[in-house]
Amino acid sequence: DHEDSLVQKFIKLTMSAIPVSSEILGAMITPAVLISACGVLVLSTSNRVGRTVDRVRSLAAEVERLQMSPESFSAPSEKMSSRRRHVADQLAQLSKRAILLRSAMTALYSAIGLLVGTSILVGVVALLQWQYSSLPVVLGFAGACALLYSSLLLVREARLAVYSTLQEVSFAREAALEGAEQRERQKP
């Protein structure tokens, strides 16, 4: 009977000292929501990078076409000069977008690493029974900040992309109107 009371005291002491494993697992899984958000943003950002690269290649082909056109060997027209300026502006904006996207990807991957580290540290802290360890909280906070920073970079890049698109639309609209006016003047 004395042994039973010692075993019960040991179990009671052990159970009160170690957090319930479901609580530990819950705390370890909590960063997974943010990790999942980071993963979705990584996929989206990768697609944005791909579109940016495709657009750069398209404009590079346009530059080659403009340089090889017969008009470029003589005095270039105002239309040709305007198109070259427009392509140069677009390439400059694409460079800015690429840098923003690279920074956002770096921040997203950092956030994922920090949040995974948070999950692991929660388990380590519980396993080693560190009483006042704030390291998982600090790491989790840093991961959330990296996620926020990447989101802000992506907003800047999206605004730049829309601005660039509006410039392209304006240039195309002006070219279309100019072409229509030329056809009207050529009618007998």
Side-chain angles (χ1 to χ4, degrees):
D1 194 31
H2 180 62
E3 283 182 26
D4 286 340
S5 69
L6 284 175
V7 170
Q8 287 175 345
K9 285 181 184 179
F10 176 75
I11 290 172
K12 192 176 192 180
L13 177 66
T14 306
M15 294 306 279
S16 66
I18 299 175
V20 180
S21 45
S22 63
E23 291 175 9
I24 296 169
L25 288 175
M28 289 176 73
I29 291 173
T30 300
V33 175
L34 293 177
I35 293 169
S36 177
C38 288
V40 170
L41 285 174
V42 164
L43 286 173
S44 168
T45 305
S46 295
N47 287 335
R48 288 169 145 178
V49 169
R51 286 195 310 269
T52 301
V53 168
D54 290 345
R55 185 67 180 133
V56 167
R57 289 180 180 152
S58 169
L59 288 174
E62 174 78 8
V63 167
E64 283 185 36
R65 188 186 64 76
L66 288 172
Q67 288 177 339
M68 299 309 277
S69 72
E71 188 178 339
S72 67
F73 295 111
S74 61
S77 68
E78 178 59 34
K79 180 180 176 184
M80 177 78 76
S81 296
S82 174
R83 180 64 187 159
R84 284 184 174 157
R85 279 191 306 276
H86 177 72
V87 168
D89 288 345
Q90 290 288 307
L91 287 169
Q93 289 177 16
L94 286 166
S95 294
K96 290 177 188 174
R97 287 181 60 195
I99 290 168
L100 286 170
L101 290 168
R102 179 193 62 196
S103 298
M105 288 291 270
T106 301
L108 285 168
Y109 284 123
S110 298
I112 290 171
L114 289 165
L115 293 167
V116 168
T118 300
S119 253
I120 292 169
L121 273 177
V122 165
V124 169
V125 165
L127 185 65
L128 299 178
Q129 297 182 7
W130 291 341
Q131 291 294 329
Y132 301 104
S133 179
S134 58
L135 196 53
V137 174
V138 170
L139 224 55
F141 183 73
C145 286
L147 177 58
L148 175 63
Y149 178 64
S150 67
S151 298
L152 295 173
L153 289 172
L154 290 172
V155 167
R156 283 182 55 203
E157 187 275 335
R159 292 177 59 84
L160 189 56
V162 168
Y163 177 75
S164 180
T165 301
L166 291 174
Q167 278 187 321
E168 188 76 24
V169 167
S170 176
F171 183 84
R173 186 173 182 272
E174 287 175 19
L177 290 174
E178 184 180 302
E181 289 173 3
Q182 284 180 354
R183 283 190 294 277
E184 286 296 319
R185 284 192 295 249
Q186 290 176 352
K187 284 186 179 177

